[in-house]
Amino acid sequence: MAHPIFSSVLPAARVIFALILRDMSATYGRSYLGYAWAYLAPFGIITLLAIGFALIIPTPPLGRDFLLFYATGFLPFEMFFQLSQRLKDSLRFSRAILSYPRITWMDLVIARLALHGITQLAVFCAVIGVIMATRDTGAALAPAAIASALGLTAALGLGIGLMNAALIAYFPSWDRIWGVLSRPLIFASGVFFLYEGLPPAALTGPLGLILWLNPLLHITGLMRQGFYAEYSGDFIAPLYVAALAMTAIAMGLALLRYGYAKAVAR
């Protein structure tokens, strides 16, 4: 006779695995090229950024390789963006499947987090691995900083995704508002610049404060600490990012628990 724990965990695991396969097919298509595009697109964007900025400035703001500099900024941002977007839409686009009694909204959230979290982690490892293997980057890896940045990115993406899913349930127009608000994030998250490289007047003024309050800027700085031994990143506050992420996750789960019916109906 199976242990009671296995009797409850194994069916839930099978449901989540089936949802992962379903979401993979819906998101990336049934061909290998569809899934491969998740890897090719970031690498293509990073390459275009590196070529474009190399024509303007002789050396990157940090280190000696343009590809690595922009990869350490763009890949964490892309992970956050993909996770938050996929989780935001996890309930609205799965109304029909929630009619099955064994499937809960939490199963959908876990399945999407697992699929897109693992995919983005694999994309990060693949792109960074190719850059490190083919170019003389001079990088000195700090695995703890890299792992911390990835963990904070996943937590923040989960929190913002849940919060947006809940807010859309109560205020449907929030979906469009968030779409407008989130577009400039890539320009304020340190993907193209170093926070310390801004003019002193900007750092001490309102712009510096607004940028500092952006948690993605801290994640980008922490990621670059993982590749550049000379980078101090004195402004980085991981606890600030962790607190924001945990608060967003808690609030998102609480709002979805009580607004689940609305989230599915929208």
Side-chain angles (χ1 to χ4, degrees):
M1 184 176 180
H3 193 279
I5 294 179
F6 291 102
S7 299
S8 59
V9 171
L10 289 180
R14 286 197 293 267
V15 167
I16 291 172
F17 184 68
L19 289 172
I20 290 174
L21 294 178
R22 171 184 173 273
D23 196 25
M24 182 183 295
S25 176
T27 304
Y28 301 109
R30 298 182 181 276
S31 67
Y32 291 112
L33 182 60
Y35 193 74
W37 185 249
Y39 296 82
L40 296 175
F43 193 82
I45 293 172
I46 293 166
T47 302
L48 290 175
L49 286 174
I51 293 173
F53 280 95
L55 296 175
I56 302 172
I57 54 178
T59 58
L62 189 64
R64 59 180 183 235
D65 187 78
F66 280 96
L67 277 179
L68 183 63
F69 178 80
Y70 293 113
T72 53
F74 179 77
L75 291 176
F77 177 85
E78 179 70 2
M79 176 183 283
F80 163 80
F81 183 80
Q82 290 294 332
L83 283 176
S84 61
Q85 285 293 106
R86 303 298 183 184
L87 290 165
K88 173 177 70 70
D89 300 327
S90 58
L91 302 185
R92 291 189 300 152
F93 295 160
S94 302
R95 300 187 189 101
I97 201 170
L98 283 168
S99 61
Y100 292 93
R102 304 201 70 162
I103 298 178
T104 67
W105 65 270
M106 185 60 76
D107 294 330
L108 291 171
V109 169
I110 294 173
R112 287 216 162 187
L113 177 63
L115 171 60
H116 298 290
I118 292 173
T119 298
Q120 292 304 312
L121 179 61
V123 169
F124 176 86
C125 293
V127 173
I128 292 295
V130 169
I131 293 173
M132 297 290 289
T134 58
R135 302 181 67 84
D136 180 20
T137 63
L141 300 184
I146 297 172
S148 298
L150 291 172
L152 289 173
T153 304
L156 188 65
L158 172 61
I160 298 301
L162 291 174
M163 280 289 296
N164 283 335
L167 289 173
I168 290 169
Y170 292 96
F171 310 104
S173 59
W174 176 252
D175 193 13
R176 293 185 178 180
I177 295 173
W178 174 251
V180 173
L181 294 177
S182 61
R183 286 178 184 175
L185 275 178
I186 191 171
F187 300 105
S189 300
V191 175
F192 310 111
F193 64 90
L194 292 178
Y195 181 70
E196 303 89 333
L198 295 175
L203 289 175
T204 57
L207 176 61
L209 177 60
I210 293 172
L211 289 175
W212 190 92
L213 290 174
N214 177 11
L216 291 172
L217 184 72
H218 298 260
I219 290 174
T220 303
L222 186 60
M223 180 62 74
R224 285 181 173 142
Q225 277 189 335
F227 288 87
Y228 301 98
E230 69 274 19
Y231 184 56
S232 60
D234 296 331
F235 72 94
I236 301 170
L239 291 180
Y240 164 70
V241 181
L244 281 181
M246 293 302 106
T247 300
I249 291 172
M251 291 180 65
L253 289 174
L255 289 172
L256 283 176
R257 178 181 175 86
Y258 295 105
Y260 156 70
K262 290 183 178 181
V264 175
R266 297 297 182 188

PDB file of all heavy atoms in Angstrom, residues 30-65:
ATOM      1  N   ARG A  30       5.039  22.535 -32.079  1.00  0.00           N
ATOM      2  CA  ARG A  30       5.335  21.098 -32.040  1.00  0.00           C
ATOM      3  C   ARG A  30       6.654  20.742 -32.724  1.00  0.00           C
ATOM      4  O   ARG A  30       7.028  19.587 -32.785  1.00  0.00           O
ATOM      5  CB  ARG A  30       4.194  20.320 -32.710  1.00  0.00           C
ATOM      6  CG  ARG A  30       2.863  20.499 -31.977  1.00  0.00           C
ATOM      7  CD  ARG A  30       1.769  19.683 -32.626  1.00  0.00           C
ATOM      8  NE  ARG A  30       0.502  19.865 -31.946  1.00  0.00           N
ATOM      9  CZ  ARG A  30       0.124  19.196 -30.864  1.00  0.00           C
ATOM     10  NH1 ARG A  30       0.930  18.295 -30.348  1.00  0.00           N
ATOM     11  NH2 ARG A  30      -1.044  19.427 -30.309  1.00  0.00           N
ATOM     12  N   SER A  31       7.364  21.728 -33.264  1.00  0.00           N
ATOM     13  CA  SER A  31       8.631  21.457 -33.940  1.00  0.00           C
ATOM     14  C   SER A  31       9.797  21.860 -33.046  1.00  0.00           C
ATOM     15  O   SER A  31       9.648  22.700 -32.154  1.00  0.00           O
ATOM     16  CB  SER A  31       8.710  22.210 -35.270  1.00  0.00           C
ATOM     17  OG  SER A  31       8.772  23.604 -35.026  1.00  0.00           O
ATOM     18  N   TYR A  32      10.952  21.260 -33.285  1.00  0.00           N
ATOM     19  CA  TYR A  32      12.151  21.602 -32.519  1.00  0.00           C
ATOM     20  C   TYR A  32      12.585  23.039 -32.785  1.00  0.00           C
ATOM     21  O   TYR A  32      13.175  23.681 -31.927  1.00  0.00           O
ATOM     22  CB  TYR A  32      13.284  20.637 -32.865  1.00  0.00           C
ATOM     23  CG  TYR A  32      13.052  19.234 -32.367  1.00  0.00           C
ATOM     24  CD1 TYR A  32      12.824  18.193 -33.261  1.00  0.00           C
ATOM     25  CD2 TYR A  32      13.055  18.955 -31.011  1.00  0.00           C
ATOM     26  CE1 TYR A  32      12.603  16.899 -32.806  1.00  0.00           C
ATOM     27  CE2 TYR A  32      12.841  17.670 -30.548  1.00  0.00           C
ATOM     28  CZ  TYR A  32      12.614  16.643 -31.446  1.00  0.00           C
ATOM     29  OH  TYR A  32      12.392  15.378 -30.991  1.00  0.00           O
ATOM     30  N   LEU A  33      12.297  23.551 -33.982  1.00  0.00           N
ATOM     31  CA  LEU A  33      12.697  24.907 -34.312  1.00  0.00           C
ATOM     32  C   LEU A  33      11.992  25.921 -33.419  1.00  0.00           C
ATOM     33  O   LEU A  33      12.576  26.926 -33.024  1.00  0.00           O
ATOM     34  CB  LEU A  33      12.392  25.204 -35.787  1.00  0.00           C
ATOM     35  CG  LEU A  33      12.805  26.599 -36.286  1.00  0.00           C
ATOM     36  CD1 LEU A  33      14.300  26.803 -36.119  1.00  0.00           C
ATOM     37  CD2 LEU A  33      12.382  26.777 -37.741  1.00  0.00           C
ATOM     38  N   GLY A  34      10.731  25.633 -33.058  1.00  0.00           N
ATOM     39  CA  GLY A  34       9.998  26.537 -32.175  1.00  0.00           C
ATOM     40  C   GLY A  34      10.674  26.676 -30.830  1.00  0.00           C
ATOM     41  O   GLY A  34      10.823  27.792 -30.308  1.00  0.00           O
ATOM     42  N   TYR A  35      11.111  25.564 -30.245  1.00  0.00           N
ATOM     43  CA  TYR A  35      11.793  25.626 -28.956  1.00  0.00           C
ATOM     44  C   TYR A  35      13.201  26.193 -29.113  1.00  0.00           C
ATOM     45  O   TYR A  35      13.691  26.912 -28.237  1.00  0.00           O
ATOM     46  CB  TYR A  35      11.851  24.232 -28.328  1.00  0.00           C
ATOM     47  CG  TYR A  35      12.252  24.254 -26.878  1.00  0.00           C
ATOM     48  CD1 TYR A  35      11.370  24.690 -25.902  1.00  0.00           C
ATOM     49  CD2 TYR A  35      13.518  23.849 -26.469  1.00  0.00           C
ATOM     50  CE1 TYR A  35      11.726  24.723 -24.566  1.00  0.00           C
ATOM     51  CE2 TYR A  35      13.888  23.872 -25.142  1.00  0.00           C
ATOM     52  CZ  TYR A  35      12.984  24.302 -24.194  1.00  0.00           C
ATOM     53  OH  TYR A  35      13.346  24.346 -22.875  1.00  0.00           O
ATOM     54  N   ALA A  36      13.845  25.877 -30.238  1.00  0.00           N
ATOM     55  CA  ALA A  36      15.196  26.390 -30.466  1.00  0.00           C
ATOM     56  C   ALA A  36      15.202  27.905 -30.582  1.00  0.00           C
ATOM     57  O   ALA A  36      16.204  28.551 -30.254  1.00  0.00           O
ATOM     58  CB  ALA A  36      15.788  25.769 -31.740  1.00  0.00           C
ATOM     59  N   TRP A  37      14.081  28.481 -31.018  1.00  0.00           N
ATOM     60  CA  TRP A  37      14.006  29.928 -31.159  1.00  0.00           C
ATOM     61  C   TRP A  37      14.176  30.625 -29.813  1.00  0.00           C
ATOM     62  O   TRP A  37      14.651  31.762 -29.756  1.00  0.00           O
ATOM     63  CB  TRP A  37      12.685  30.319 -31.802  1.00  0.00           C
ATOM     64  CG  TRP A  37      12.588  31.785 -32.097  1.00  0.00           C
ATOM     65  CD1 TRP A  37      11.778  32.705 -31.501  1.00  0.00           C
ATOM     66  CD2 TRP A  37      13.354  32.505 -33.069  1.00  0.00           C
ATOM     67  NE1 TRP A  37      11.976  33.950 -32.035  1.00  0.00           N
ATOM     68  CE2 TRP A  37      12.941  33.863 -33.006  1.00  0.00           C
ATOM     69  CE3 TRP A  37      14.336  32.143 -33.995  1.00  0.00           C
ATOM     70  CZ2 TRP A  37      13.486  34.841 -33.821  1.00  0.00           C
ATOM     71  CZ3 TRP A  37      14.875  33.126 -34.802  1.00  0.00           C
ATOM     72  CH2 TRP A  37      14.460  34.451 -34.715  1.00  0.00           C
ATOM     73  N   ALA A  38      13.787  29.967 -28.732  1.00  0.00           N
ATOM     74  CA  ALA A  38      13.975  30.541 -27.399  1.00  0.00           C
ATOM     75  C   ALA A  38      15.449  30.766 -27.104  1.00  0.00           C
ATOM     76  O   ALA A  38      15.803  31.645 -26.311  1.00  0.00           O
ATOM     77  CB  ALA A  38      13.364  29.620 -26.337  1.00  0.00           C
ATOM     78  N   TYR A  39      16.329  29.976 -27.733  1.00  0.00           N
ATOM     79  CA  TYR A  39      17.771  30.128 -27.561  1.00  0.00           C
ATOM     80  C   TYR A  39      18.361  31.084 -28.596  1.00  0.00           C
ATOM     81  O   TYR A  39      19.249  31.882 -28.287  1.00  0.00           O
ATOM     82  CB  TYR A  39      18.464  28.767 -27.690  1.00  0.00           C
ATOM     83  CG  TYR A  39      18.084  27.786 -26.619  1.00  0.00           C
ATOM     84  CD1 TYR A  39      16.910  27.045 -26.709  1.00  0.00           C
ATOM     85  CD2 TYR A  39      18.897  27.588 -25.512  1.00  0.00           C
ATOM     86  CE1 TYR A  39      16.555  26.133 -25.730  1.00  0.00           C
ATOM     87  CE2 TYR A  39      18.554  26.691 -24.523  1.00  0.00           C
ATOM     88  CZ  TYR A  39      17.378  25.961 -24.634  1.00  0.00           C
ATOM     89  OH  TYR A  39      17.030  25.084 -23.658  1.00  0.00           O
ATOM     90  N   LEU A  40      17.875  30.987 -29.819  1.00  0.00           N
ATOM     91  CA  LEU A  40      18.460  31.770 -30.902  1.00  0.00           C
ATOM     92  C   LEU A  40      18.124  33.255 -30.784  1.00  0.00           C
ATOM     93  O   LEU A  40      18.964  34.112 -31.084  1.00  0.00           O
ATOM     94  CB  LEU A  40      17.973  31.239 -32.247  1.00  0.00           C
ATOM     95  CG  LEU A  40      18.389  29.803 -32.590  1.00  0.00           C
ATOM     96  CD1 LEU A  40      17.742  29.363 -33.895  1.00  0.00           C
ATOM     97  CD2 LEU A  40      19.900  29.692 -32.672  1.00  0.00           C
ATOM     98  N   ALA A  41      16.900  33.571 -30.350  1.00  0.00           N
ATOM     99  CA  ALA A  41      16.479  34.972 -30.288  1.00  0.00           C
ATOM    100  C   ALA A  41      17.333  35.799 -29.326  1.00  0.00           C
ATOM    101  O   ALA A  41      17.833  36.864 -29.708  1.00  0.00           O
ATOM    102  CB  ALA A  41      14.999  35.057 -29.928  1.00  0.00           C
ATOM    103  N   PRO A  42      17.546  35.356 -28.070  1.00  0.00           N
ATOM    104  CA  PRO A  42      18.399  36.165 -27.182  1.00  0.00           C
ATOM    105  C   PRO A  42      19.822  36.328 -27.704  1.00  0.00           C
ATOM    106  O   PRO A  42      20.410  37.409 -27.588  1.00  0.00           O
ATOM    107  CB  PRO A  42      18.381  35.383 -25.861  1.00  0.00           C
ATOM    108  CG  PRO A  42      17.146  34.569 -25.920  1.00  0.00           C
ATOM    109  CD  PRO A  42      16.964  34.216 -27.359  1.00  0.00           C
ATOM    110  N   PHE A  43      20.374  35.254 -28.253  1.00  0.00           N
ATOM    111  CA  PHE A  43      21.737  35.348 -28.764  1.00  0.00           C
ATOM    112  C   PHE A  43      21.809  36.331 -29.926  1.00  0.00           C
ATOM    113  O   PHE A  43      22.767  37.110 -30.040  1.00  0.00           O
ATOM    114  CB  PHE A  43      22.239  33.973 -29.211  1.00  0.00           C
ATOM    115  CG  PHE A  43      23.719  33.934 -29.445  1.00  0.00           C
ATOM    116  CD1 PHE A  43      24.590  33.765 -28.383  1.00  0.00           C
ATOM    117  CD2 PHE A  43      24.247  34.076 -30.719  1.00  0.00           C
ATOM    118  CE1 PHE A  43      25.958  33.737 -28.586  1.00  0.00           C
ATOM    119  CE2 PHE A  43      25.619  34.052 -30.935  1.00  0.00           C
ATOM    120  CZ  PHE A  43      26.472  33.877 -29.859  1.00  0.00           C
ATOM    121  N   GLY A  44      20.786  36.331 -30.780  1.00  0.00           N
ATOM    122  CA  GLY A  44      20.769  37.281 -31.886  1.00  0.00           C
ATOM    123  C   GLY A  44      20.655  38.719 -31.413  1.00  0.00           C
ATOM    124  O   GLY A  44      21.340  39.608 -31.930  1.00  0.00           O
ATOM    125  N   ILE A  45      19.810  38.959 -30.407  1.00  0.00           N
ATOM    126  CA  ILE A  45      19.650  40.316 -29.869  1.00  0.00           C
ATOM    127  C   ILE A  45      20.951  40.799 -29.242  1.00  0.00           C
ATOM    128  O   ILE A  45      21.385  41.942 -29.451  1.00  0.00           O
ATOM    129  CB  ILE A  45      18.502  40.346 -28.844  1.00  0.00           C
ATOM    130  CG1 ILE A  45      17.164  40.095 -29.548  1.00  0.00           C
ATOM    131  CG2 ILE A  45      18.476  41.685 -28.103  1.00  0.00           C
ATOM    132  CD1 ILE A  45      16.004  39.907 -28.603  1.00  0.00           C
ATOM    133  N   ILE A  46      21.592  39.929 -28.454  1.00  0.00           N
ATOM    134  CA  ILE A  46      22.852  40.301 -27.795  1.00  0.00           C
ATOM    135  C   ILE A  46      23.930  40.599 -28.834  1.00  0.00           C
ATOM    136  O   ILE A  46      24.705  41.554 -28.695  1.00  0.00           O
ATOM    137  CB  ILE A  46      23.301  39.176 -26.845  1.00  0.00           C
ATOM    138  CG1 ILE A  46      22.317  39.070 -25.674  1.00  0.00           C
ATOM    139  CG2 ILE A  46      24.712  39.431 -26.329  1.00  0.00           C
ATOM    140  CD1 ILE A  46      22.470  37.800 -24.875  1.00  0.00           C
ATOM    141  N   THR A  47      23.977  39.801 -29.893  1.00  0.00           N
ATOM    142  CA  THR A  47      24.968  40.028 -30.949  1.00  0.00           C
ATOM    143  C   THR A  47      24.745  41.367 -31.632  1.00  0.00           C
ATOM    144  O   THR A  47      25.697  42.126 -31.887  1.00  0.00           O
ATOM    145  CB  THR A  47      24.901  38.894 -31.987  1.00  0.00           C
ATOM    146  OG1 THR A  47      25.139  37.635 -31.336  1.00  0.00           O
ATOM    147  CG2 THR A  47      25.940  39.099 -33.071  1.00  0.00           C
ATOM    148  N   LEU A  48      23.489  41.686 -31.923  1.00  0.00           N
ATOM    149  CA  LEU A  48      23.191  42.977 -32.559  1.00  0.00           C
ATOM    150  C   LEU A  48      23.551  44.147 -31.641  1.00  0.00           C
ATOM    151  O   LEU A  48      24.091  45.167 -32.099  1.00  0.00           O
ATOM    152  CB  LEU A  48      21.707  43.044 -32.928  1.00  0.00           C
ATOM    153  CG  LEU A  48      21.260  42.136 -34.086  1.00  0.00           C
ATOM    154  CD1 LEU A  48      19.750  42.217 -34.264  1.00  0.00           C
ATOM    155  CD2 LEU A  48      21.973  42.521 -35.373  1.00  0.00           C
ATOM    156  N   LEU A  49      23.272  44.000 -30.338  1.00  0.00           N
ATOM    157  CA  LEU A  49      23.647  45.051 -29.393  1.00  0.00           C
ATOM    158  C   LEU A  49      25.157  45.240 -29.363  1.00  0.00           C
ATOM    159  O   LEU A  49      25.662  46.371 -29.363  1.00  0.00           O
ATOM    160  CB  LEU A  49      23.145  44.693 -27.987  1.00  0.00           C
ATOM    161  CG  LEU A  49      21.647  44.822 -27.731  1.00  0.00           C
ATOM    162  CD1 LEU A  49      21.303  44.287 -26.343  1.00  0.00           C
ATOM    163  CD2 LEU A  49      21.198  46.277 -27.858  1.00  0.00           C
ATOM    164  N   ALA A  50      25.878  44.123 -29.309  1.00  0.00           N
ATOM    165  CA  ALA A  50      27.336  44.208 -29.243  1.00  0.00           C
ATOM    166  C   ALA A  50      27.911  44.862 -30.481  1.00  0.00           C
ATOM    167  O   ALA A  50      28.799  45.727 -30.397  1.00  0.00           O
ATOM    168  CB  ALA A  50      27.925  42.805 -29.065  1.00  0.00           C
ATOM    169  N   ILE A  51      27.409  44.484 -31.656  1.00  0.00           N
ATOM    170  CA  ILE A  51      27.917  45.074 -32.903  1.00  0.00           C
ATOM    171  C   ILE A  51      27.568  46.557 -32.970  1.00  0.00           C
ATOM    172  O   ILE A  51      28.410  47.396 -33.328  1.00  0.00           O
ATOM    173  CB  ILE A  51      27.333  44.323 -34.113  1.00  0.00           C
ATOM    174  CG1 ILE A  51      27.864  42.888 -34.157  1.00  0.00           C
ATOM    175  CG2 ILE A  51      27.675  45.053 -35.410  1.00  0.00           C
ATOM    176  CD1 ILE A  51      27.222  42.022 -35.226  1.00  0.00           C
ATOM    177  N   GLY A  52      26.332  46.880 -32.615  1.00  0.00           N
ATOM    178  CA  GLY A  52      25.896  48.272 -32.697  1.00  0.00           C
ATOM    179  C   GLY A  52      26.695  49.193 -31.791  1.00  0.00           C
ATOM    180  O   GLY A  52      27.175  50.248 -32.220  1.00  0.00           O
ATOM    181  N   PHE A  53      26.876  48.800 -30.531  1.00  0.00           N
ATOM    182  CA  PHE A  53      27.599  49.652 -29.599  1.00  0.00           C
ATOM    183  C   PHE A  53      29.099  49.645 -29.874  1.00  0.00           C
ATOM    184  O   PHE A  53      29.794  50.609 -29.558  1.00  0.00           O
ATOM    185  CB  PHE A  53      27.320  49.221 -28.159  1.00  0.00           C
ATOM    186  CG  PHE A  53      26.004  49.737 -27.637  1.00  0.00           C
ATOM    187  CD1 PHE A  53      24.870  48.944 -27.696  1.00  0.00           C
ATOM    188  CD2 PHE A  53      25.900  51.007 -27.105  1.00  0.00           C
ATOM    189  CE1 PHE A  53      23.650  49.414 -27.220  1.00  0.00           C
ATOM    190  CE2 PHE A  53      24.697  51.488 -26.633  1.00  0.00           C
ATOM    191  CZ  PHE A  53      23.557  50.688 -26.691  1.00  0.00           C
ATOM    192  N   ALA A  54      29.621  48.566 -30.451  1.00  0.00           N
ATOM    193  CA  ALA A  54      31.042  48.530 -30.791  1.00  0.00           C
ATOM    194  C   ALA A  54      31.381  49.561 -31.865  1.00  0.00           C
ATOM    195  O   ALA A  54      32.522  50.036 -31.944  1.00  0.00           O
ATOM    196  CB  ALA A  54      31.429  47.131 -31.258  1.00  0.00           C
ATOM    197  N   LEU A  55      30.389  49.905 -32.674  1.00  0.00           N
ATOM    198  CA  LEU A  55      30.611  50.923 -33.705  1.00  0.00           C
ATOM    199  C   LEU A  55      30.615  52.334 -33.123  1.00  0.00           C
ATOM    200  O   LEU A  55      31.098  53.279 -33.769  1.00  0.00           O
ATOM    201  CB  LEU A  55      29.520  50.825 -34.782  1.00  0.00           C
ATOM    202  CG  LEU A  55      29.483  49.526 -35.585  1.00  0.00           C
ATOM    203  CD1 LEU A  55      28.285  49.508 -36.521  1.00  0.00           C
ATOM    204  CD2 LEU A  55      30.779  49.331 -36.371  1.00  0.00           C
ATOM    205  N   ILE A  56      30.077  52.481 -31.902  1.00  0.00           N
ATOM    206  CA  ILE A  56      29.957  53.802 -31.293  1.00  0.00           C
ATOM    207  C   ILE A  56      31.060  54.063 -30.275  1.00  0.00           C
ATOM    208  O   ILE A  56      31.660  55.131 -30.242  1.00  0.00           O
ATOM    209  CB  ILE A  56      28.573  53.960 -30.628  1.00  0.00           C
ATOM    210  CG1 ILE A  56      27.462  53.757 -31.673  1.00  0.00           C
ATOM    211  CG2 ILE A  56      28.437  55.319 -29.953  1.00  0.00           C
ATOM    212  CD1 ILE A  56      26.077  53.710 -31.086  1.00  0.00           C
ATOM    213  N   ILE A  57      31.320  53.063 -29.420  1.00  0.00           N
ATOM    214  CA  ILE A  57      32.319  53.222 -28.364  1.00  0.00           C
ATOM    215  C   ILE A  57      33.404  52.169 -28.537  1.00  0.00           C
ATOM    216  O   ILE A  57      33.118  51.044 -28.964  1.00  0.00           O
ATOM    217  CB  ILE A  57      31.683  53.123 -26.956  1.00  0.00           C
ATOM    218  CG1 ILE A  57      30.885  51.814 -26.814  1.00  0.00           C
ATOM    219  CG2 ILE A  57      30.800  54.326 -26.686  1.00  0.00           C
ATOM    220  CD1 ILE A  57      30.266  51.629 -25.445  1.00  0.00           C
ATOM    221  N   PRO A  58      34.658  52.490 -28.213  1.00  0.00           N
ATOM    222  CA  PRO A  58      35.763  51.555 -28.483  1.00  0.00           C
ATOM    223  C   PRO A  58      35.774  50.344 -27.556  1.00  0.00           C
ATOM    224  O   PRO A  58      36.195  49.263 -27.971  1.00  0.00           O
ATOM    225  CB  PRO A  58      37.013  52.425 -28.268  1.00  0.00           C
ATOM    226  CG  PRO A  58      36.558  53.514 -27.344  1.00  0.00           C
ATOM    227  CD  PRO A  58      35.140  53.785 -27.689  1.00  0.00           C
ATOM    228  N   THR A  59      35.357  50.510 -26.312  1.00  0.00           N
ATOM    229  CA  THR A  59      35.364  49.408 -25.353  1.00  0.00           C
ATOM    230  C   THR A  59      34.054  49.398 -24.579  1.00  0.00           C
ATOM    231  O   THR A  59      33.410  50.442 -24.415  1.00  0.00           O
ATOM    232  CB  THR A  59      36.532  49.545 -24.351  1.00  0.00           C
ATOM    233  OG1 THR A  59      36.404  50.809 -23.662  1.00  0.00           O
ATOM    234  CG2 THR A  59      37.869  49.469 -25.052  1.00  0.00           C
ATOM    235  N   PRO A  60      33.616  48.242 -24.098  1.00  0.00           N
ATOM    236  CA  PRO A  60      32.386  48.197 -23.305  1.00  0.00           C
ATOM    237  C   PRO A  60      32.571  48.908 -21.969  1.00  0.00           C
ATOM    238  O   PRO A  60      33.707  49.116 -21.520  1.00  0.00           O
ATOM    239  CB  PRO A  60      32.151  46.691 -23.115  1.00  0.00           C
ATOM    240  CG  PRO A  60      33.491  46.060 -23.276  1.00  0.00           C
ATOM    241  CD  PRO A  60      34.227  46.912 -24.264  1.00  0.00           C
ATOM    242  N   PRO A  61      31.481  49.289 -21.304  1.00  0.00           N
ATOM    243  CA  PRO A  61      31.605  49.975 -20.008  1.00  0.00           C
ATOM    244  C   PRO A  61      32.315  49.165 -18.943  1.00  0.00           C
ATOM    245  O   PRO A  61      32.833  49.728 -17.977  1.00  0.00           O
ATOM    246  CB  PRO A  61      30.145  50.240 -19.619  1.00  0.00           C
ATOM    247  CG  PRO A  61      29.399  50.246 -20.912  1.00  0.00           C
ATOM    248  CD  PRO A  61      30.093  49.245 -21.772  1.00  0.00           C
ATOM    249  N   LEU A  62      32.344  47.846 -19.117  1.00  0.00           N
ATOM    250  CA  LEU A  62      32.988  46.970 -18.140  1.00  0.00           C
ATOM    251  C   LEU A  62      33.620  45.798 -18.883  1.00  0.00           C
ATOM    252  O   LEU A  62      33.015  45.210 -19.781  1.00  0.00           O
ATOM    253  CB  LEU A  62      31.950  46.468 -17.131  1.00  0.00           C
ATOM    254  CG  LEU A  62      32.456  45.718 -15.900  1.00  0.00           C
ATOM    255  CD1 LEU A  62      33.318  46.622 -15.019  1.00  0.00           C
ATOM    256  CD2 LEU A  62      31.289  45.180 -15.087  1.00  0.00           C
ATOM    257  N   GLY A  63      34.841  45.452 -18.510  1.00  0.00           N
ATOM    258  CA  GLY A  63      35.515  44.336 -19.166  1.00  0.00           C
ATOM    259  C   GLY A  63      36.004  44.701 -20.549  1.00  0.00           C
ATOM    260  O   GLY A  63      36.128  45.883 -20.902  1.00  0.00           O
ATOM    261  N   ARG A  64      36.251  43.659 -21.356  1.00  0.00           N
ATOM    262  CA  ARG A  64      36.788  43.918 -22.694  1.00  0.00           C
ATOM    263  C   ARG A  64      35.985  43.255 -23.810  1.00  0.00           C
ATOM    264  O   ARG A  64      36.400  43.284 -24.966  1.00  0.00           O
ATOM    265  CB  ARG A  64      38.240  43.449 -22.756  1.00  0.00           C
ATOM    266  CG  ARG A  64      38.457  41.982 -22.464  1.00  0.00           C
ATOM    267  CD  ARG A  64      39.932  41.638 -22.549  1.00  0.00           C
ATOM    268  NE  ARG A  64      40.217  40.235 -22.357  1.00  0.00           N
ATOM    269  CZ  ARG A  64      41.054  39.762 -21.448  1.00  0.00           C
ATOM    270  NH1 ARG A  64      41.694  40.604 -20.635  1.00  0.00           N
ATOM    271  NH2 ARG A  64      41.279  38.476 -21.339  1.00  0.00           N
ATOM    272  N   ASP A  65      34.850  42.641 -23.465  1.00  0.00           N
ATOM    273  CA  ASP A  65      34.063  41.942 -24.480  1.00  0.00           C
ATOM    274  C   ASP A  65      32.626  42.467 -24.476  1.00  0.00           C
ATOM    275  O   ASP A  65      31.932  42.397 -23.458  1.00  0.00           O
ATOM    276  CB  ASP A  65      34.064  40.434 -24.220  1.00  0.00           C
ATOM    277  CG  ASP A  65      33.397  39.669 -25.352  1.00  0.00           C
ATOM    278  OD1 ASP A  65      34.040  39.493 -26.395  1.00  0.00           O
ATOM    279  OD2 ASP A  65      32.229  39.260 -25.177  1.00  0.00           O
TER     280      ASP A  65
END
